Amino acid sequence: MIRLLWALSVRIRYFLRRYMPTNILLDLIRTRRGLKWGIPAMLLTAPYLLAASVCTNVVAGGAHGWLNLLVLLLIWNAMKFLIMGPISVVLLVRLRIQEAADRRRERRQYHMESLKPVAAWVPCLSAPLPIAGRGDRGLGRRDEILA
């Protein structure tokens, strides 16, 4: 029985993550390109809270009680967007620090490679030489090139 409930909850979660608009939008915000949209997405909390307030007033006026489920859903979505704003800022700052460290490391590595002494190359008639247009694969011999 527990296994059945577990499988059902996994399928429901997959469906909600895949097809519900707020989850799709939050997944897009969590990408590298979407992190900058976390703070503007916080502005979506206002329409959700307004709709929740309207539904609450309608229920208080004598409408069906099932609208309370819609109120809970609207408040839940508003909280998701409200929380995603600061989280996206933290993720973006952390990612930019990591990218800056990677750039510094690459610059340092490139600088250290440019300072390495270059070994002297002594031509040898039996050693393979690179042929123009074939890269550095050394697919020819010196006597083949000269012929």
Side-chain angles (χ1 to χ4, degrees), residues 6 19 21 28 39-41 46 50 68 70 77 90 96 107 113 119 126 143 145 147:
W6 187 273
Y19 297 110
L28 289 174
I39 297 296
L50 179 66
N68 287 322
L70 186 60
N77 287 334
V90 169
R96 290 217 174 148
R107 267 196 315 257
E113 286 177 1
S126 63
D143 51 322
I145 296 172

Side-chain angles (χ1 to χ4, degrees), residues 2-21:
I2 300 262
R3 189 174 186 182
L4 179 66
L5 290 174
W6 187 273
L8 181 66
S9 69
V10 166
R11 294 231 162 80
I12 289 172
R13 181 186 181 280
Y14 171 75
F15 175 79
L16 292 176
R17 297 281 303 169
R18 183 87 175 154
Y19 297 110
M20 294 296 117

Side-chain angles (χ1 to χ4, degrees), residues 37-138:
W37 294 103
I39 297 296
M42 284 177 61
L43 297 175
L44 288 175
T45 59
Y48 277 112
L49 292 177
L50 179 66
S53 174
V54 168
C55 286
T56 304
N57 290 335
V58 169
V59 169
H64 293 287
W66 61 266
L67 281 175
N68 287 322
L69 293 174
L70 186 60
V71 170
L72 287 174
L73 179 67
L74 291 170
I75 290 174
W76 177 255
N77 287 334
M79 296 307 283
K80 285 195 295 188
F81 282 112
L82 188 65
I83 291 170
M84 191 59 204
I87 288 175
S88 69
V89 170
V90 169
L91 291 174
L92 184 61
V93 168
R94 190 174 73 181
L95 190 63
R96 290 217 174 148
I97 290 172
Q98 180 66 37
E99 289 172 351
D102 290 342
R103 282 193 304 272
R104 273 194 311 271
R105 191 176 312 113
E106 287 176 7
R107 267 196 315 257
R108 189 177 309 126
Q109 183 179 5
Y110 177 75
H111 181 68
M112 293 305 287
E113 286 177 1
S114 66
L115 296 177
K116 286 183 181 176
V118 179
W121 180 71
V122 179
C124 180
L125 291 178
S126 63
L129 294 175
I131 296 176
R134 293 190 184 175
D136 289 336
R137 291 183 288 176

